[in-house]
Structure formats: C-alpha cells, structure tokens
Amino acid sequence: MLLPRSDLFVQITDPIFGNLLLSALCAALPLVLLFVLLGVFRMKAHKAALASLLLSIVLAIVGWQMPVGQALSAAAAGAFYGLFPILWILVNALWIYKLTVATPWFEVLGRTIRSITNDLRILSILIAFCFGALLESLAGFGAPVAISAAMLMAAGMKPLKSALVSLLANTAPVAFGAMAAPIIALNGVTGLPIHDLAQMAGRQTPFIAVLVPLILVFMVDGKRGLKQTWPVALVAGLVFGLAQFVTSNYLAVELTDVVAAVVTVAAVLTMLRFWQPREIIGVTDAASHDSAVASAGPTGRRTASVSASSVTSTAPVTGSTAVMEKTTRPPARQVWKAIAPYLIIMGIFSIAQIPAVKAWLGAVGSVTFAWPGLDVVTAAGDPVAAQSFKLDHIKATGTLLMLSGIVTMIMYRMSIRRGLAIYWQTLVQLRWTIVTVTSVLSLSFVMNLSGQTNSLGVALATTGVFFAVLSPVIGWLGVALTGSDTSSNSLFGQLQVAAATQTGLSPVLMAAANSSAGVLGKMLSVQNLAVAAAAVGMAGEEGTLFRKLIGWSLGLLVLITALIVLQSTPILGWMVP
C-alpha cells in the first residue's frame, strides 16, 4: 500500500468555512486589490503588484492551507517565468529600439513613415494595427506594443497617445499571436481538436478586428477623425477580419496574423493611392510632436499646404497647431537602412518557424524540469501543470530578438562596447518594470497553485446556462492578470470545457470564448501597461493608461460577450463547428 507523500499539497476548492461562494470572493481579493490600487488610488504599478502578491500569499497559507515553503516556491516560480520568457523578450525588444535611436537612422525612419502619409490617424492604422499585428504574429509578449509605440513617437505622436493607441491596437491579433500559441495551448489543456478551436476563434475575433481601426482614429482625433477617415479604417478592419477568418478556418492557424497583417497593409496602401482624407492631421516635426492640418482638394486628393489662418481650431492631439507639407521620402538606400532592424526581426523569426529549423532549435535548446519545492495536485488528484517548466532557451522569442539586435549592431557597424552600454541603459530604464512583471506573474502562480484560481472559476461555473455570459469574463480576467492569452488559456481552458459540459453548452465555443474575449483584457494587464509606459518614457504612469483604456476594454467585452451568448443559442449556433 502506497502512503501519501508528506510534502504533497492537495488543493481545496472551498476552504473558507466550506463555502464555495465565500471562498471565491476571498480568491478574488488580490485581483480586486490590484485593480483598485492602480485605478482608484493611482499607486505605482510595482507597488500595487507587490501588495497584491503579498495578499495572495497570505490567503494561500491561511485560507487555502498551502504550506509556507510551497507558497513561497510558487511565488519564485512565477517570478522566474516573468523573467524568462516575458522580460527576456521585453528587454531585448526595447534594446533593439534603443540601438536604432542611437543612430541617425531613427530620424530617417520617422521621415520614411511620414512620407507614406502625414496623417497620424492613418499612421495609427498602418503602424499600431498592421505592423503591430505582424510583430504579434512573430513575437508577442509585449514586443508589438513596445516597438509600435516607439515608431508612432518617431512619426511625431505624443508619448501618451502612442502608448494608448498601441495598447488598444494590440487586441485584434492576440488570439492568434506568436504563431497561434494561445490556440495551441488551448488544444493542449483541453484536448479539443485544434482545427475546431481555430475555426471558432476565427468566427469571433474578426468582429473585434473590424471595430479596432475605427476606435484608433477616434482615439487620435475624436469625432472629426472618425468622420474623415472612417473609409480607410473600415477597409482595414474588414480586410483584417476577413483574412483572419479565411486563414484560421481554411488555411494554417499558425499563419493567421501574418496573412491578415500583410493583406491589410497592401489594402490600405492601395486605397491611399486613390483616396485621401479631406484634411491631413499630422506633425510638423517629430521632435516637437505638434499637430498640424493641411487642406485637401474637393476630390479628396492632397493639394498644396494652406495658410496658417485656414487651420482649424480643434487640434487632434495636445500641442500647438501648424501648417505642414508632405514629408519628402528619403532615398531608397536610406529607407532600407532605417527599416532594416524590423526586416531583420521578421526575417529571423520567419526562418525560426521553418519546420526543420524549428525542430532543430527545439532539439538542441529545450530543457524541461520540475520546479523545486512544489508538489501540488488538484482536488481530483491530478498534478498541476504549472509545476513543470519547459525552457526553450535557444529558440525563445527573447533569444531571437537578441540575435536580431546583434545583427543590427553588425549592420550599423556599432561597437560591442557601445551595444553593451545601451543594453545596460535598457536594464536601468526597465528596473521598475522588471519588479512589476515578476510580481504579477508571482501573483498568478500563487493563485493558480494554491487553488485560489480554481475556487474562483468553479464558483462561476455553478451559474448554469448563464455561464455563457460569464465565460468571456473569465478569459478577460485571465489575460488582465497574466498579460498573456496563452497563459489565460492554460489557466482556464480546462475549466471552461468542464463547466460547458456540466451546463450543456458547447465545449469548443466556451474554450474559444476564453481566448477571444481574453484579448480585450490585454490592454489592461499590468505587464502590458508597464511595457507601453516604459517604451514611451512614462514609467510609473501605468495607472493613467489603465484609467483611459478601461472603458474601451469593458465596452468591447460587452460586445463580444453578446456575440458569444448568441452563438450559444439557435440564433447563431450555426457558427459553432
């Protein structure tokens, strides 16, 4: 007869006086504290995250009866995951950006971007929505937000506006980001066919993609921006959404965002050859970040710049208003030099996704190990997956970004000493971001391993068919907490399937809902707020970003929840594979 291990910790679903509802309310306290400290008391993100982590550890030990050593080990495991792969990605992505800033080519990049169009509203679509989606498809984990925000600043957009636009634009591609990692993770934890999950997500996220460009132009220039640029915004959203649907349903799920981003860029650039907004809302100089208006002719084609007296008084971005002329595109050789770092990134990541190369990198650079000090099983006796780590140190996104940075240094003929100095400056700039990210991931791991997350989820699953309304909220909370749709799917995917089975709902629908609705929580996740704030030089202002984005996040969550509820009924049930 086998005796139970003395160090084994068995999760308890209802540890607080044997009451599931009370246990769930207590489990939610760390999340509530985190959002209240950020949104109401405007506390620095790293302090709010540390306070929430401390509360979750206390609850794990006192409420969920987790041994002290295992609770601390769970926090350490989360911190490690925060460092690798998430911060490993962020540090190297920001380092590449700072390498470009240290060269004359960064200003050339700004002039190149503005030569496509001077209109910041259209640039927000091209850079944050399209190029950001391409980066999300290859990298993810904050890199698209950091790089697109930096590029918008190079084009002359204000730092706060750049961060907000980049964060909101990053919602559209996330469900299929990092070569469909969220869908692959969902398949891994649920056992549902990956093709069915991809099809279902591809019949949900396009509805959000259609709206995002319209919101972006409104965010940049208010009602005037929406009135003047809705045609190109609508085209971008429709093309992106349609490409997501077709690729995820009929082609390869891994290529969903790559195809959607490339096709949308082509569609927008083609449209700009035949159509221009009535006014061009842009900047006179990237350094000044001022806004300007240039008139266009009655046909919509741009004409010569007008006198200062004809400039409208309602400036789209804070700052002075001035007249501008179209920026002259730099010579082709300079353009290639300016965009080379981003081409290098896409090239290296594309090569790494070639099946033979990907298999080789996995074989020579993958280590799986059990985190020391943890021995946790669920109430059913199954080991909790978060105790095991797979360290892909060579093919990791951060490692590929570092390789991209090294190639960039070689191309720019930058010395090793200077490159290392810039790397150190990057670490110093991100010091509080590092504390924030590691603290939040520690919080996530403590809640998951102690059983707090399970208590919260099981309580939500007892609501019967009303679970169709709560299911998207679970995904939203998961991403808002972890900052990753992949992590949220790993955290709640199986819970969604179990609850769907109990309530008679479609497991495929509820599992996909976790991913599709989860993307709307990413703009509010502390990690991504910290990434955006650091990228635009606003470290410590994460609370400001949170307050300005929460309305958009909740509004879009309501819309996709309505879609999912309808898909759970005969009205739109035909959309479920």
Side-chain angles (χ1 to χ4, degrees):
M1 177 179 178
L2 294 176
L3 297 176
R5 300 190 297 271
S6 59
D7 57 346
L8 179 66
F9 169 62
V10 181
Q11 292 180 341
I12 308 172
T13 303
D14 53 354
I16 310 301
F17 302 113
N19 187 291
L20 179 59
L21 177 59
L22 188 57
S23 299
L25 291 174
C26 290
L29 288 178
L31 304 180
V32 174
L33 177 64
L34 180 64
F35 292 134
V36 168
L37 291 179
L38 273 177
V40 179
F41 292 97
R42 305 187 181 186
M43 183 178 287
K44 301 290 187 183
H46 65 278
K47 294 181 179 179
L50 286 170
S52 301
L53 169 60
L54 180 60
L55 176 58
S56 71
I57 292 175
V58 172
L59 286 171
I61 296 170
V62 177
W64 274 257
Q65 303 172 32
M66 190 179 198
V68 175
Q70 296 215 44
L72 296 177
S73 183
F80 178 82
Y81 184 76
L83 290 170
F84 196 96
I86 295 176
L87 283 166
W88 181 233
I89 294 169
L90 171 59
V91 169
N92 289 310
L94 194 57
W95 175 54
I96 293 175
Y97 161 62
K98 292 178 75 69
L99 287 176
T100 64
V101 172
T103 70
W105 303 110
F106 183 70
E107 171 56 27
V108 176
L109 173 63
R111 287 194 287 121
T112 302
I113 294 171
R114 296 194 300 276
S115 71
I116 299 174
T117 174
N118 286 323
D119 199 300
L120 286 178
R121 302 164 300 187
I122 297 176
L123 286 175
S124 70
I125 296 173
L126 284 171
I127 295 173
F129 185 69
C130 300
F131 184 64
L134 188 58
L135 289 175
E136 179 69 32
S137 70
L138 298 174
F141 293 102
V145 171
I147 293 176
S148 62
M151 292 180 69
L152 286 172
M153 287 182 64
M157 189 176 287
K158 289 285 188 177
L160 176 61
K161 192 81 71 174
S162 299
L164 294 173
V165 166
S166 298
L167 283 165
L168 196 142
N170 191 228
T171 59
V174 166
F176 298 99
M179 291 295 169
I183 303 298
I184 293 171
L186 200 57
N187 160 254
V189 299
T190 65
L192 296 173
I194 190 170
H195 184 60
D196 290 351
L197 294 170
Q199 283 185 319
M200 191 68 255
R203 299 172 190 184
Q204 294 171 339
T205 57
F207 291 93
I208 296 299
V210 170
L211 298 175
V212 169
L214 294 167
I215 297 174
L216 294 183
V217 297
F218 179 82
M219 184 176 285
V220 173
D221 192 30
K223 292 180 180 179
R224 179 179 61 181
L226 192 59
K227 181 179 179 180
Q228 294 183 357
T229 60
W230 70 263
V232 68
L234 186 60
V235 165
L238 287 173
V239 170
F240 191 94
L242 181 61
Q244 273 194 327
F245 166 74
V246 171
T247 309
S248 62
N249 276 261
Y250 303 109
L251 301 177
V253 61
E254 294 86 355
L255 298 178
T256 299
D257 283 343
V258 176
V259 173
V262 171
V263 171
T264 305
V265 168
V268 171
L269 293 181
T270 300
M271 183 174 181
L272 291 177
R273 293 175 63 89
F274 305 98
W275 175 92
Q276 289 288 337
R278 186 171 59 86
E279 293 176 323
I280 305 300
I281 308 301
V283 294
T284 55
D285 181 75
S288 67
H289 292 174
D290 288 338
S291 57
V293 180
S295 288
T299 62
R301 301 294 295 176
R302 186 162 31 229
T303 59
S305 60
V306 296
S307 64
S309 61
S310 66
V311 176
T312 61
S313 60
T314 53
V317 187
T318 56
S320 60
T321 304
V323 177
M324 62 180 297
E325 294 186 18
K326 181 173 172 62
T327 303
T328 302
R329 178 171 298 180
R333 181 178 176 278
Q334 293 186 15
V335 172
W336 285 111
K337 279 276 192 178
I339 65 174
Y342 306 101
L343 296 177
I344 290 170
I345 291 172
M346 289 186 284
I348 288 177
F349 275 93
S350 298
I351 292 172
Q353 293 300 323
I354 297 173
V357 176
K358 188 175 183 178
W360 178 78
L361 290 174
V364 301
S366 182
V367 177
T368 302
F369 62 95
W371 189 261
L374 289 176
D375 193 358
V376 183
V377 297
T378 65
D382 300 320
V384 178
Q387 301 169 92
S388 180
F389 278 80
K390 185 177 182 181
L391 193 61
D392 294 322
H393 50 284
I394 294 181
K395 70 173 184 178
T397 299
T399 304
L400 296 179
L401 283 171
M402 172 172 271
L403 177 59
S404 301
I406 293 172
V407 175
T408 299
M409 286 177 56
I410 295 173
M411 183 201 64
Y412 284 155
R413 298 182 180 179
M414 185 178 292
S415 68
I416 296 177
R417 181 176 181 179
R418 191 179 183 194
L420 290 174
I422 294 173
Y423 202 95
W424 173 252
Q425 293 171 9
T426 304
L427 291 173
V428 172
Q429 179 181 341
L430 292 176
R431 61 190 183 279
W432 295 121
T433 304
I434 292 171
V435 175
T436 300
V437 172
T438 53
S439 298
V440 170
L441 266 297
S442 293
L443 165 65
S444 173
F445 271 62
V446 170
M447 290 187 65
N448 186 24
L449 288 165
S450 67
Q452 295 172 54
T453 298
N454 184 59
S455 297
L456 183 60
V458 170
L460 290 172
T462 60
T463 57
V465 293
F466 187 68
F467 184 72
V469 176
L470 297 179
S471 173
V473 178
I474 295 175
W476 181 86
L477 282 173
V479 178
L481 172 63
T482 66
S484 165
D485 203 37
T486 302
S487 298
S488 177
N489 287 346
S490 300
L491 200 62
F492 292 127
Q494 184 54 42
L495 171 65
Q496 297 273 18
V497 171
T501 301
Q502 294 172 10
T503 56
L505 297 168
S506 166
V508 170
L509 173 61
M510 294 297 99
N514 193 84
S515 190
S516 299
V519 304
L520 302 174
K522 190 163 187 178
M523 69 179 83
L524 299 181
S525 69
V526 179
Q527 296 97 308
N528 280 279
L529 291 173
V531 166
V536 299
M538 294 179 59
E541 296 296 326
E542 294 85 359
T544 300
L545 298 176
F546 178 90
R547 290 189 297 276
K548 289 184 176 294
L549 288 170
I550 187 169
W552 292 113
S553 179
L554 292 176
L556 290 171
L557 176 62
V558 169
L559 291 177
I560 199 166
T561 298
L563 172 66
I564 291 166
V565 169
L566 290 175
Q567 289 176 333
S568 70
T569 69
I571 298 175
L572 293 181
W574 52 269
M575 298 180 69
V576 180

